[in-house]
Amino acid sequence: MRALILAGLLALTTPAAAQDALPVTPATLVADRIDFDQGQLSATGEVEIFADGRILRATRITYLRDEDRLLVEGPLTLIDGPDQILVAEFASLSADLRGSVLQGARLVLDQRLQIAATEVAQGPAGRYTQLYQTVASSCPVCDGGKTPLWQIRAKRIIHDKQERQLYFDQARFDVAGVPVAWFPRLRLPDPTLDRTSGWLAPRFSSDDTLGTGVTTPYFVTLGPSADLTFSPFLTNTDTRSLGVRYRQAFERGDLLIEGALSEDRVTADPWRGYLFAEGTFALKRGYRLEFDLETVSDDTYLVDYDVSDKDRLDSRLAVTKVERDSRAVAEVILFESLRTGEDNRFLPTRVLNAERQRRFVPAGLGGQAIWTLAAHARERTATHVPAGQPSNAARDVVRASAALDWRRSWITDGGLVVTGLGGVHVDAYNVRQDTAFSDTAFARAVPYGGVEFRLPMTRTTAGNVRHVLEPVAQLILAPSNRPVTPDEDSLTPEFDEGNLFSATRFAGRDTRELGTRANLGVSYTRYDPSGWTAGVLVGRVVRARDLGQFRPGTGLDGGSSDWLLSVGASHAGGFEVMQRSIFDDQFTFARSETILRWQGSGHLIDTRYTYLEADPTAGRPIDTSEWSFDASLDLAGDWTGRANWRYDFVTNDASNAGLGLTYRSDCVTVDFDVERRFTSTASLQPSTRFGLSVELAGFGADDRRTRARKCGL
């Protein structure tokens, strides 16, 4: 039978001796056999000692009373908490298992990083562990003694358990057994540390504009809720850049600031840069403060330094409140265009907006009603209209609006859904610096009313497959002539299944859809219990007469709109395909879009084709015909491939293309990508960019503990 001794460290042959040897923290010994001798105790077999949260397992231990130490013969295992395991051949330990010297030892941290050493010494306080003549790696040590993919050899490593840091003396970094770097001193976080100050993984890059260089980020912790990252970037073409990112979480909000200052030879001005900032803060009584700042030194900086592909910047300061039945917003927005050919002086770059909405049930009518009060102002910095510019080039507008919208539905005994809807929109304008408006101040009111009929019909067939057919007819009555208003927030009206049965197709408030019209459509949807859903919708707008509100290219012009056809299918497993087209009676397409997405555990495909008829007023002087493709695929082992492609069928040229390859194992991540931009402007030339980054696992916390460890690539 196994012998068990409790209370006391390891009981000796006399009570007095046991009392003298009693440590501060009680210990427990479990062994197959225990022998007592004068001045010592020996335990053999499957020996386990439990002391102050530590567990020692060995085949033989000897307790020396005079020295108050344990001699342990291995193979032995010392488990110190949930994140640290020591494996050795021989050890000399203090009675509480804290102070120790182990020979031929291996330290395993968080089941990910292992350090082999000829000797391991731990102080009596248990905070510092010193390892001598070491080899450290998070790669698995495979059969046959094969060299790990990477390893760090050092004369000494000190593990600070309290600070969760590893300090290396005279370290050498090997890749596949080949030395590639030497460090007299090196500090790295252990695998249990989530955040700490220090260098992050560098990224190497090369492109035609900035040259070949390296980015070496340095991360600084500023307490538990804030951090700062510096990202110096140097190239062989004397490009120097310093990127900065500051993040902070507050009790009632958060803040993010990003920016960079760069010196290069790309433009005549050697100093360039950008600044982005955003934040959200909770105020009293349910209000929120939101702000967003975007500014850049020149039009091409964001593209040159691969920061963003935005070509119009917007900075915003707003106070908002959204509740179940109400919404309030007051905001200031500043726009800045980076597009070639656009002059910010003649764009409404300064915008003020305030809006209050509430939803309620009107007495006596039932249903649901929404009232809206809004104030809007937009200003151009130009003070007059230059020769050759349109009359609205310097136009400033102030608008006050009030609206009331109502709708209510009834269901007849036959299943017909009848909906009544109506409302009125009133706007008062003050227009300046536009000769097209002789009256600078005027008002308009647009009432509307309508009725909608839906007849959803359902049928279930074999296999519990459900079919739903729903024809819809909606009649809208509205006046045909109202004062012309300055239209700048509804220049690109959309026509799709989302607004086929809307009272207006204009997104903004400047323009309201006029005239009596019928919105007609029918939809069919098939639901399969296997996870498949497929459907089709066809619809059209028929007007009493053409009022010329919609331009060609929108699909809404003429006495009758173009046909809207939407077809789609999806599967719960991650597959989705959709095709939406707008075409006239002669099958001439104004718009067409096809989207296919397929996402699974090891793949992601997102491809689409888009066609848009030319619309100069909307910024499209020629037709748009473009195909884009984005995909990633898990290859053999830990390899993942990526590809993206964008092709313009009008110019018969690729816009951009890219390839990427990532190797992510339980001990390292290597990421390589190449991107080619084919487009060019007066200030932007085609370029190719390469990128490479290497990140070692096992230093700092990540999600790789869940990955199955394996040998080889």
Side-chain angles (χ1 to χ4, degrees):
M1 295 179 61
R2 304 191 69 189
L4 176 63
I5 296 179
L6 297 173
L9 171 63
L10 300 171
L12 298 182
T13 55
T14 65
Q19 182 66 29
D20 293 339
L22 186 65
V24 175
T25 302
T28 301
L29 167 67
V30 179
D32 290 336
R33 178 188 175 105
I34 298 177
D35 296 315
F36 298 91
D37 196 356
Q38 185 64 32
Q40 71 177 31
L41 177 150
S42 297
T44 57
E46 296 183 8
V47 183
E48 292 187 347
I49 297 179
F50 305 88
D52 193 23
R54 296 170 181 80
I55 303 174
L56 173 65
R57 297 190 178 102
T59 58
R60 179 182 178 86
I61 67 165
T62 301
Y63 173 70
L64 304 178
R65 174 188 175 188
D66 294 339
E67 300 179 20
D68 193 27
R69 294 198 65 78
L70 295 171
L71 299 181
V72 186
E73 298 178 18
L76 64 92
T77 302
L78 177 60
I79 302 174
D80 189 0
D83 304 320
Q84 181 170 305
I85 301 175
L86 273 164
V87 181
E89 294 300 325
F90 176 81
S92 174
L93 299 91
S94 62
D96 60 358
L97 309 184
R98 289 184 179 272
S100 60
V101 176
L102 297 88
Q103 297 177 356
R106 182 161 54 95
L107 174 64
V108 181
L109 296 175
D110 200 34
Q111 303 180 26
R112 288 185 295 162
L113 179 67
Q114 50 186 322
I115 305 173
T118 58
E119 182 177 295
V120 177
Q122 190 175 69
R127 173 176 176 178
Y128 297 102
T129 301
Q130 299 192 56
L131 304 97
Y132 299 91
Q133 303 301 323
T134 64
V135 178
S137 179
S138 61
C139 299
V141 178
C142 303
D143 296 337
K146 293 183 180 179
T147 303
L149 180 61
W150 67 264
Q151 60 186 10
I152 300 177
R153 293 182 174 272
K155 183 177 181 181
R156 181 180 67 162
I157 298 177
I158 299 176
H159 178 221
D160 186 340
K161 187 176 181 181
Q162 178 176 314
E163 296 295 331
R164 293 184 285 180
Q165 298 282 351
L166 294 166
Y167 299 89
F168 295 74
D169 289 342
Q170 300 182 32
R172 188 186 80 192
F173 179 62
D174 297 353
V175 177
V178 179
V180 297
W182 289 262
F183 305 93
R185 296 287 186 273
L186 182 65
R187 177 182 63 84
L188 295 171
D190 80 12
T192 66
L193 187 58
D194 293 325
R195 300 172 67 248
T196 185
S197 298
W199 294 102
L200 303 179
R203 180 168 181 82
F204 304 90
S205 62
S206 177
D207 65 59
D208 302 334
T209 304
L210 302 177
T212 302
V214 58
T215 304
T216 55
Y218 188 83
F219 182 79
V220 181
T221 58
L222 303 175
S225 59
D227 57 58
L228 185 64
T229 303
F230 297 97
S231 300
F233 173 55
L234 300 174
T235 74
N236 62 338
T237 59
D238 295 330
T239 295
R240 296 179 295 175
S241 178
L242 178 62
V244 179
R245 184 192 68 181
Y246 175 76
R247 301 183 301 179
Q248 183 166 0
F250 300 90
E251 183 179 354
R252 299 176 63 85
D254 55 78
L255 173 67
L256 172 63
I257 302 175
E258 294 181 300
L261 182 63
S262 308
E263 183 182 19
D264 55 39
R265 300 177 180 177
V266 178
T267 64
D269 188 354
W271 290 103
R272 311 167 68 197
Y274 83 101
L275 178 64
F276 286 179
E278 62 181 57
T280 303
F281 294 90
L283 305 177
K284 294 181 178 180
R285 300 178 62 183
Y287 286 92
R288 294 172 62 88
L289 174 66
E290 303 170 359
F291 68 88
D292 178 14
L293 172 65
E294 296 180 344
T295 184
V296 67
S297 60
D298 56 84
D299 293 349
T300 64
Y301 180 89
L302 298 179
V303 176
D304 289 341
Y305 284 84
D306 197 25
V307 177
S308 171
D309 58 359
K310 295 188 67 172
D311 55 7
R312 280 179 176 169
L313 306 182
D314 56 274
S315 299
R316 176 175 178 263
L317 176 64
V319 176
T320 64
K321 182 179 181 180
V322 179
E323 296 178 310
R324 182 178 181 274
D325 294 322
S326 64
R327 171 180 173 269
V329 59
E331 59 185 354
V332 180
I333 306 176
L334 301 178
F335 292 99
E336 180 183 3
S337 176
L338 308 179
R339 296 183 179 182
T340 302
E342 288 189 346
D343 192 334
N344 283 291
R345 295 178 303 163
F346 306 118
L347 298 176
T349 55
R350 302 174 182 176
V351 177
L352 298 175
N353 191 55
E355 189 170 301
R356 184 78 168 92
Q357 285 184 318
R358 178 172 290 277
R359 181 177 59 187
F360 65 99
V361 177
L365 289 178
Q368 177 179 280
I370 299 176
W371 61 257
T372 304
L373 296 177
H376 176 83
R378 51 183 177 267
E379 179 187 30
R380 293 170 169 82
T381 57
T383 58
H384 64 282
V385 179
Q389 293 286 344
S391 63
N392 64 352
R395 182 171 65 197
D396 301 328
V397 177
V398 176
R399 182 190 70 224
S401 304
L404 178 64
D405 298 276
W406 169 84
R407 65 185 298 131
R408 182 180 178 182
S409 298
W410 296 266
I411 302 178
T412 68
D413 295 338
L416 180 67
V417 182
V418 182
T419 301
L421 61 154
V424 60
H425 291 252
V426 180
D427 303 280
Y429 283 87
N430 187 302
V431 182
R432 299 179 181 179
Q433 299 179 173
D434 188 347
T435 56
F437 293 89
S438 56
D439 296 329
T440 58
F442 58 92
R444 62 129 190 230
V446 181
Y448 73 93
V451 61
E452 177 185 283
F453 301 94
R454 293 176 178 264
L455 184 59
M457 295 173 284
T458 182
R459 180 186 178 188
T460 301
T461 58
N464 204 28
V465 176
R466 187 160 55 97
H467 307 263
V468 178
L469 180 68
E470 184 180 44
V472 182
Q474 186 184 71
L475 177 64
I476 303 293
L477 304 177
S480 299
N481 45 9
R482 281 294 181 266
V484 177
T485 56
D487 181 15
E488 290 178 336
D489 62 359
S490 298
L491 293 177
T492 55
E494 295 292 333
F495 183 35
D496 55 35
E497 60 269 39
N499 63 14
L500 173 60
F501 302 107
S502 295
T504 179
R505 248 70 59 165
F506 291 103
R509 298 187 181 278
D510 275 345
T511 302
R512 307 299 303 178
E513 191 168 350
L514 303 176
T516 298
R517 57 199 178 273
N519 303 322
L520 307 173
V522 60
S523 65
Y524 164 77
T525 309
R526 180 182 185 273
Y527 301 93
D528 194 311
S530 64
W532 282 101
T533 301
V536 60
L537 167 71
V538 60
R540 192 175 203 181
V541 180
V542 180
R543 297 184 178 86
R545 62 189 181 95
D546 181 17
L547 302 179
Q549 280 193 289
F550 297 96
R551 304 183 308 274
T554 63
L556 290 164
D557 56 307
S560 297
S561 74
D562 289 349
W563 290 97
L564 168 65
L565 176 65
S566 177
V567 182
S570 64
H571 188 270
F575 179 82
E576 180 182 4
V577 61
M578 184 190 72
Q579 207 292 323
R580 179 193 299 123
S581 296
I582 300 174
F583 53 88
D584 60 18
D585 294 335
Q586 288 74 41
F587 286 95
T588 301
F589 286 79
R591 299 187 178 193
S592 182
E593 182 178 33
T594 303
I595 301 174
L596 185 147
R597 296 189 184 97
W598 186 23
Q599 182 174 2
S601 58
H603 61 270
L604 171 63
I605 298 176
D606 188 329
T607 182
R608 65 182 63 200
Y609 170 76
T610 303
Y611 171 79
L612 299 174
E613 190 178 15
D615 187 351
T617 306
R620 295 194 309 272
I622 60 175
D623 293 345
T624 297
S625 181
E626 185 178 85
W627 171 50
S628 66
F629 176 84
D630 292 273
S632 66
L633 177 65
D634 288 351
L635 307 175
D638 298 307
W639 296 90
T640 301
R642 303 182 305 278
N644 65 80
W645 173 268
R646 193 176 299 274
Y647 190 85
D648 191 334
F649 288 97
V650 175
T651 60
N652 288 323
D653 287 320
S655 302
N656 59 63
L659 291 173
L661 187 64
T662 299
Y663 173 76
R664 179 179 170 87
S665 71
D666 49 4
C667 67
V668 67
T669 297
V670 180
D671 186 80
F672 173 79
D673 60 80
V674 56
E675 186 92 16
R676 173 66 177 176
R677 188 185 70 248
F678 298 92
T679 56
S680 63
T681 64
S683 57
L684 194 65
Q685 299 301 316
S687 68
T688 302
R689 175 180 287 110
F690 297 88
L692 173 66
S693 65
V694 179
E695 179 183 351
L696 303 181
F699 301 109
D702 61 24
D703 61 352
R704 271 177 256 217
R705 74 163 64 214
T706 59
R707 297 176 63 90
R709 300 178 69 82
K710 67 176 187 177
C711 297
L713 299 179

